[in-house]
Short mmCIF file of all heavy atoms in Angstrom, two decimals:
data_model
loop_
_atom_site.label_atom_id
_atom_site.label_comp_id
_atom_site.label_asym_id
_atom_site.label_seq_id
_atom_site.Cartn_x
_atom_site.Cartn_y
_atom_site.Cartn_z
N LEU Z 138 -2.54 -1.76 -21.90
CA LEU Z 138 -1.94 -2.87 -21.18
C LEU Z 138 -2.91 -3.99 -20.76
O LEU Z 138 -2.69 -5.12 -20.83
CB LEU Z 138 -1.23 -2.36 -19.93
CG LEU Z 138 0.10 -2.93 -19.50
CD1 LEU Z 138 1.09 -2.84 -20.67
CD2 LEU Z 138 0.61 -2.25 -18.32
N SER Z 139 -4.15 -3.47 -20.39
CA SER Z 139 -5.11 -4.46 -19.92
C SER Z 139 -5.76 -5.24 -21.08
O SER Z 139 -6.46 -6.14 -20.92
CB SER Z 139 -6.19 -3.78 -19.10
OG SER Z 139 -6.78 -2.65 -19.81
N GLY Z 140 -5.50 -4.86 -22.38
CA GLY Z 140 -6.07 -5.52 -23.51
C GLY Z 140 -5.07 -6.48 -24.16
O GLY Z 140 -5.52 -7.18 -25.10
N ILE Z 141 -3.89 -6.49 -23.62
CA ILE Z 141 -2.82 -7.35 -24.27
C ILE Z 141 -3.11 -8.85 -23.97
O ILE Z 141 -3.40 -9.13 -22.75
CB ILE Z 141 -1.43 -6.91 -23.85
CG1 ILE Z 141 -1.06 -5.56 -24.42
CG2 ILE Z 141 -0.33 -7.95 -24.25
CD1 ILE Z 141 0.23 -5.04 -23.95
N PRO Z 142 -2.99 -9.72 -24.91
CA PRO Z 142 -3.20 -11.18 -24.64
C PRO Z 142 -2.21 -11.59 -23.56
O PRO Z 142 -1.06 -11.28 -23.57
CB PRO Z 142 -2.89 -11.85 -26.02
CG PRO Z 142 -2.98 -10.84 -26.97
CD PRO Z 142 -2.69 -9.44 -26.33
N SER Z 143 -2.77 -12.52 -22.70
CA SER Z 143 -1.91 -12.85 -21.49
C SER Z 143 -0.70 -13.68 -21.85
O SER Z 143 0.30 -13.63 -21.11
CB SER Z 143 -2.79 -13.64 -20.60
OG SER Z 143 -3.31 -14.82 -21.10
N ILE Z 144 -0.70 -14.34 -22.98
CA ILE Z 144 0.43 -15.14 -23.36
C ILE Z 144 1.74 -14.25 -23.51
O ILE Z 144 2.83 -14.71 -23.40
CB ILE Z 144 0.14 -16.00 -24.53
CG1 ILE Z 144 1.17 -17.16 -24.78
CG2 ILE Z 144 0.12 -15.17 -25.90
CD1 ILE Z 144 0.59 -18.39 -25.19
N ILE Z 145 1.44 -12.97 -24.01
CA ILE Z 145 2.58 -12.08 -24.17
C ILE Z 145 3.16 -11.73 -22.84
O ILE Z 145 4.36 -11.61 -22.67
CB ILE Z 145 2.07 -10.84 -24.95
CG1 ILE Z 145 1.58 -11.23 -26.36
CG2 ILE Z 145 3.22 -9.76 -25.01
CD1 ILE Z 145 0.96 -10.14 -27.11
N TYR Z 146 2.34 -11.56 -21.85
CA TYR Z 146 2.76 -11.34 -20.44
C TYR Z 146 3.69 -12.50 -20.03
O TYR Z 146 4.64 -12.30 -19.36
CB TYR Z 146 1.63 -11.09 -19.48
CG TYR Z 146 0.92 -9.86 -19.56
CD1 TYR Z 146 -0.22 -9.67 -20.27
CD2 TYR Z 146 1.48 -8.66 -18.95
CE1 TYR Z 146 -0.88 -8.44 -20.33
CE2 TYR Z 146 0.83 -7.50 -18.98
CZ TYR Z 146 -0.33 -7.39 -19.70
OH TYR Z 146 -1.04 -6.20 -19.77
N GLY Z 147 3.15 -13.63 -20.34
CA GLY Z 147 3.98 -14.88 -20.07
C GLY Z 147 5.37 -14.89 -20.59
O GLY Z 147 6.33 -15.16 -19.91
N LEU Z 148 5.43 -14.50 -21.87
CA LEU Z 148 6.69 -14.52 -22.57
C LEU Z 148 7.64 -13.48 -21.95
O LEU Z 148 8.78 -13.79 -21.61
CB LEU Z 148 6.43 -14.11 -24.10
CG LEU Z 148 7.61 -14.25 -25.01
CD1 LEU Z 148 7.98 -15.71 -25.17
CD2 LEU Z 148 7.24 -13.62 -26.37
N VAL Z 149 7.12 -12.31 -21.64
CA VAL Z 149 7.93 -11.20 -21.05
C VAL Z 149 8.32 -11.62 -19.66
O VAL Z 149 9.40 -11.49 -19.25
CB VAL Z 149 7.10 -9.87 -20.98
CG1 VAL Z 149 7.90 -8.85 -20.23
CG2 VAL Z 149 6.92 -9.42 -22.51
N GLY Z 150 7.30 -12.23 -18.93
CA GLY Z 150 7.57 -12.66 -17.52
C GLY Z 150 8.68 -13.70 -17.47
O GLY Z 150 9.52 -13.74 -16.52
N MET Z 151 8.66 -14.60 -18.42
CA MET Z 151 9.66 -15.64 -18.50
C MET Z 151 11.09 -15.08 -18.64
O MET Z 151 11.96 -15.40 -17.92
CB MET Z 151 9.42 -16.59 -19.65
CG MET Z 151 10.36 -17.71 -19.83
SD MET Z 151 9.86 -18.91 -20.99
CE MET Z 151 10.25 -18.05 -22.57
N LEU Z 152 11.16 -14.08 -19.57
CA LEU Z 152 12.49 -13.42 -19.80
C LEU Z 152 12.89 -12.56 -18.65
O LEU Z 152 14.07 -12.54 -18.22
CB LEU Z 152 12.45 -12.58 -21.06
CG LEU Z 152 12.21 -13.45 -22.40
CD1 LEU Z 152 12.08 -12.55 -23.55
CD2 LEU Z 152 13.42 -14.33 -22.58
N LEU Z 153 11.85 -11.89 -18.00
CA LEU Z 153 12.19 -10.91 -17.00
C LEU Z 153 12.43 -11.58 -15.68
O LEU Z 153 13.34 -11.24 -14.91
CB LEU Z 153 10.98 -9.99 -16.81
CG LEU Z 153 11.30 -8.50 -16.62
CD1 LEU Z 153 12.16 -7.88 -17.75
CD2 LEU Z 153 9.93 -7.79 -16.51
N PHE Z 154 11.54 -12.52 -15.28
CA PHE Z 154 11.64 -13.11 -13.95
C PHE Z 154 12.25 -14.43 -13.90
O PHE Z 154 13.16 -14.81 -13.11
CB PHE Z 154 10.29 -13.08 -13.28
CG PHE Z 154 9.68 -11.74 -13.22
CD1 PHE Z 154 8.46 -11.55 -13.88
CD2 PHE Z 154 10.28 -10.68 -12.52
CE1 PHE Z 154 7.86 -10.27 -13.86
CE2 PHE Z 154 9.71 -9.45 -12.48
CZ PHE Z 154 8.49 -9.26 -13.20
N SER Z 155 11.66 -15.38 -14.80
CA SER Z 155 12.09 -16.82 -14.69
C SER Z 155 13.58 -16.98 -15.08
O SER Z 155 14.23 -17.85 -14.56
CB SER Z 155 11.21 -17.66 -15.63
OG SER Z 155 9.90 -17.56 -15.34
N ASN Z 156 14.06 -16.10 -15.94
CA ASN Z 156 15.50 -16.14 -16.27
C ASN Z 156 16.35 -15.86 -15.08
O ASN Z 156 17.39 -16.43 -15.02
CB ASN Z 156 15.79 -15.17 -17.37
CG ASN Z 156 15.84 -15.83 -18.74
OD1 ASN Z 156 15.71 -17.11 -18.83
ND2 ASN Z 156 15.98 -15.08 -19.76
N SER Z 157 15.96 -15.03 -14.23
CA SER Z 157 16.81 -14.66 -13.11
C SER Z 157 16.48 -15.46 -11.88
O SER Z 157 17.41 -15.89 -11.16
CB SER Z 157 16.63 -13.18 -12.75
OG SER Z 157 15.26 -12.84 -12.55
N MET Z 158 15.23 -15.79 -11.64
CA MET Z 158 14.96 -16.56 -10.35
C MET Z 158 14.57 -17.97 -10.57
O MET Z 158 14.19 -18.66 -9.62
CB MET Z 158 13.92 -15.76 -9.50
CG MET Z 158 12.63 -15.54 -10.18
SD MET Z 158 11.40 -14.61 -9.11
CE MET Z 158 11.97 -12.95 -9.28
N GLY Z 159 14.55 -18.32 -11.85
CA GLY Z 159 14.15 -19.62 -12.14
C GLY Z 159 12.62 -19.70 -12.32
O GLY Z 159 11.86 -18.80 -11.92
N THR Z 160 12.16 -20.87 -12.91
CA THR Z 160 10.70 -21.09 -13.04
C THR Z 160 10.19 -21.34 -11.68
O THR Z 160 10.44 -22.36 -11.09
CB THR Z 160 10.43 -22.26 -13.98
OG1 THR Z 160 10.97 -21.97 -15.27
CG2 THR Z 160 8.89 -22.44 -14.13
N CYS Z 161 9.35 -20.47 -11.14
CA CYS Z 161 8.84 -20.63 -9.83
C CYS Z 161 7.56 -19.87 -9.61
O CYS Z 161 7.17 -18.99 -10.44
CB CYS Z 161 9.87 -20.30 -8.80
SG CYS Z 161 10.31 -18.51 -8.86
N LEU Z 162 6.88 -20.14 -8.49
CA LEU Z 162 5.62 -19.43 -8.23
C LEU Z 162 5.77 -17.99 -8.07
O LEU Z 162 5.00 -17.20 -8.55
CB LEU Z 162 5.04 -19.91 -6.85
CG LEU Z 162 4.53 -21.41 -6.87
CD1 LEU Z 162 4.06 -21.79 -5.54
CD2 LEU Z 162 3.37 -21.51 -7.92
N MET Z 163 6.96 -17.58 -7.52
CA MET Z 163 7.19 -16.08 -7.34
C MET Z 163 7.17 -15.45 -8.74
O MET Z 163 6.69 -14.38 -8.93
CB MET Z 163 8.54 -15.91 -6.61
CG MET Z 163 8.82 -14.50 -6.11
SD MET Z 163 7.64 -14.08 -4.87
CE MET Z 163 7.71 -12.33 -4.97
N ALA Z 164 7.96 -16.07 -9.71
CA ALA Z 164 7.94 -15.48 -10.98
C ALA Z 164 6.61 -15.42 -11.68
O ALA Z 164 6.21 -14.45 -12.29
CB ALA Z 164 8.89 -16.36 -11.95
N GLY Z 165 5.81 -16.41 -11.38
CA GLY Z 165 4.39 -16.44 -11.91
C GLY Z 165 3.62 -15.27 -11.27
O GLY Z 165 2.92 -14.58 -11.99
N ALA Z 166 3.78 -15.16 -9.92
CA ALA Z 166 3.01 -14.17 -9.24
C ALA Z 166 3.45 -12.71 -9.80
O ALA Z 166 2.58 -11.85 -10.01
CB ALA Z 166 3.23 -14.24 -7.81
N LEU Z 167 4.72 -12.53 -9.97
CA LEU Z 167 5.16 -11.22 -10.38
C LEU Z 167 4.70 -10.85 -11.78
O LEU Z 167 4.31 -9.80 -12.14
CB LEU Z 167 6.72 -11.16 -10.45
CG LEU Z 167 7.33 -11.11 -9.02
CD1 LEU Z 167 8.88 -11.15 -9.03
CD2 LEU Z 167 6.92 -9.78 -8.31
N THR Z 168 4.58 -11.93 -12.63
CA THR Z 168 4.04 -11.75 -13.97
C THR Z 168 2.61 -11.31 -13.90
O THR Z 168 2.11 -10.37 -14.52
CB THR Z 168 4.08 -13.08 -14.83
OG1 THR Z 168 5.48 -13.54 -14.74
CG2 THR Z 168 3.76 -12.80 -16.24
N LEU Z 169 1.87 -11.97 -13.02
CA LEU Z 169 0.37 -11.65 -12.87
C LEU Z 169 0.26 -10.21 -12.25
O LEU Z 169 -0.75 -9.54 -12.46
CB LEU Z 169 -0.21 -12.68 -11.94
CG LEU Z 169 -0.45 -14.03 -12.55
CD1 LEU Z 169 -1.22 -14.94 -11.70
CD2 LEU Z 169 -1.00 -13.94 -13.98
N VAL Z 170 1.25 -9.81 -11.43
CA VAL Z 170 1.26 -8.42 -10.85
C VAL Z 170 1.26 -7.48 -12.04
O VAL Z 170 0.40 -6.56 -12.05
CB VAL Z 170 2.49 -8.25 -9.93
CG1 VAL Z 170 2.60 -6.72 -9.70
CG2 VAL Z 170 2.24 -8.89 -8.62
N ILE Z 171 2.16 -7.60 -12.96
CA ILE Z 171 2.19 -6.76 -14.06
C ILE Z 171 0.90 -6.71 -14.88
O ILE Z 171 0.36 -5.71 -15.26
CB ILE Z 171 3.40 -7.14 -15.09
CG1 ILE Z 171 4.69 -7.04 -14.36
CG2 ILE Z 171 3.36 -6.16 -16.28
CD1 ILE Z 171 5.90 -7.47 -15.29
N MET Z 172 0.40 -7.94 -15.00
CA MET Z 172 -0.90 -8.00 -15.76
C MET Z 172 -2.03 -7.36 -15.14
O MET Z 172 -2.95 -6.79 -15.80
CB MET Z 172 -1.11 -9.57 -15.88
CG MET Z 172 -1.85 -9.94 -17.12
SD MET Z 172 -1.86 -11.72 -17.22
CE MET Z 172 -3.55 -11.97 -17.01
N ASN Z 173 -2.07 -7.42 -13.77
CA ASN Z 173 -3.23 -6.89 -13.08
C ASN Z 173 -3.11 -5.39 -12.59
O ASN Z 173 -4.03 -4.87 -12.09
CB ASN Z 173 -3.62 -7.76 -11.94
CG ASN Z 173 -4.33 -9.07 -12.50
OD1 ASN Z 173 -5.47 -9.01 -13.00
ND2 ASN Z 173 -3.58 -10.13 -12.38
N LEU Z 174 -1.87 -4.93 -12.69
CA LEU Z 174 -1.58 -3.59 -12.22
C LEU Z 174 -2.57 -2.62 -12.85
O LEU Z 174 -3.22 -1.80 -12.16
CB LEU Z 174 -0.21 -3.19 -12.50
CG LEU Z 174 0.47 -2.11 -11.64
CD1 LEU Z 174 0.22 -2.40 -10.21
CD2 LEU Z 174 1.96 -2.05 -11.95
N PRO Z 175 -2.77 -2.60 -14.20
CA PRO Z 175 -3.72 -1.61 -14.82
C PRO Z 175 -5.14 -1.83 -14.26
O PRO Z 175 -5.82 -0.82 -13.98
CB PRO Z 175 -3.65 -1.87 -16.34
CG PRO Z 175 -2.45 -2.76 -16.52
CD PRO Z 175 -2.20 -3.46 -15.19
N THR Z 176 -5.56 -3.05 -14.02
CA THR Z 176 -6.88 -3.26 -13.53
C THR Z 176 -7.15 -2.58 -12.21
O THR Z 176 -8.10 -1.79 -12.00
CB THR Z 176 -7.13 -4.75 -13.30
OG1 THR Z 176 -6.69 -5.46 -14.47
CG2 THR Z 176 -8.67 -5.04 -13.09
N ILE Z 177 -6.25 -2.87 -11.28
CA ILE Z 177 -6.33 -2.26 -9.88
C ILE Z 177 -6.26 -0.69 -10.01
O ILE Z 177 -7.06 0.03 -9.41
CB ILE Z 177 -5.23 -2.76 -9.00
CG1 ILE Z 177 -5.35 -4.23 -8.82
CG2 ILE Z 177 -5.33 -2.08 -7.61
CD1 ILE Z 177 -6.25 -4.77 -7.78
N MET Z 178 -5.30 -0.25 -10.80
CA MET Z 178 -5.09 1.18 -10.91
C MET Z 178 -6.32 1.82 -11.48
O MET Z 178 -6.80 2.92 -10.91
CB MET Z 178 -3.90 1.42 -11.85
CG MET Z 178 -3.23 2.72 -11.57
SD MET Z 178 -1.84 2.91 -12.77
CE MET Z 178 -2.70 3.68 -14.14
N ARG Z 179 -6.84 1.39 -12.53
CA ARG Z 179 -8.04 2.00 -13.14
C ARG Z 179 -9.22 1.99 -12.28
O ARG Z 179 -9.98 2.89 -12.11
CB ARG Z 179 -8.33 1.34 -14.52
CG ARG Z 179 -7.22 1.50 -15.52
CD ARG Z 179 -7.08 2.92 -15.95
NE ARG Z 179 -8.19 3.49 -16.71
CZ ARG Z 179 -8.48 4.66 -16.73
NH1 ARG Z 179 -7.85 5.62 -16.06
NH2 ARG Z 179 -9.60 5.08 -17.44
N ALA Z 180 -9.46 0.76 -11.60
CA ALA Z 180 -10.65 0.69 -10.75
C ALA Z 180 -10.47 1.71 -9.56
O ALA Z 180 -11.46 2.37 -9.24
CB ALA Z 180 -10.74 -0.69 -10.19
#
Side-chain angles (χ1 to χ4, degrees):
Chain Z
L138 218 55
S139 55
I141 292 178
S143 62
I144 196 141
I145 297 175
Y146 285 98
L148 190 65
V149 173
M151 180 172 77
L152 295 174
L153 217 60
F154 304 120
S155 303
N156 261 356
S157 53
M158 58 179 82
T160 299
C161 62
L162 290 179
M163 193 65 201
L167 287 175
T168 308
L169 293 186
V170 164
I171 301 184
M172 209 170 114
N173 286 291
L174 204 49
T176 313
I177 301 272
M178 202 181 90
R179 296 294 293 152

